[in-house]
Amino acid sequence: MMIFMLAAAMTVAMLIATAFGIHHEAQRVRMDDRNDRFTPYGHR
């Protein structure tokens, strides 16, 4: 029983970490896209 509870806790922790990572990456991509769009004269 202890092994199953540990496995469930690890699974939940990995799902939360994955969701956080995807959210963080999406924000970074959004900011990169925004920076590309609003730079004057097309310069980086």
Side-chain angles (χ1 to χ4, degrees), residues 12-27:
V12 169
M14 287 301 293
L15 287 173
I16 291 171
T18 302
F20 180 76
I22 290 172
H23 175 71
H24 184 70
E25 181 69 15
Q27 276 188 328

Side-chain angles (χ1 to χ4, degrees), residues 27-41:
Q27 276 188 328
R28 189 185 66 78
V29 168
R30 234 179 273 129
M31 288 301 288
D32 286 348
D33 185 47
R34 188 175 297 151
N35 289 342
D36 288 345
R37 200 173 327 139
F38 291 119
T39 51
Y41 308 111

Side-chain angles (χ1 to χ4, degrees), residues 1-16:
M1 184 70 179
M2 182 79 165
I3 293 174
F4 292 121
M5 293 300 290
L6 189 58
M10 290 288 290
T11 302
V12 169
M14 287 301 293
L15 287 173
I16 291 171

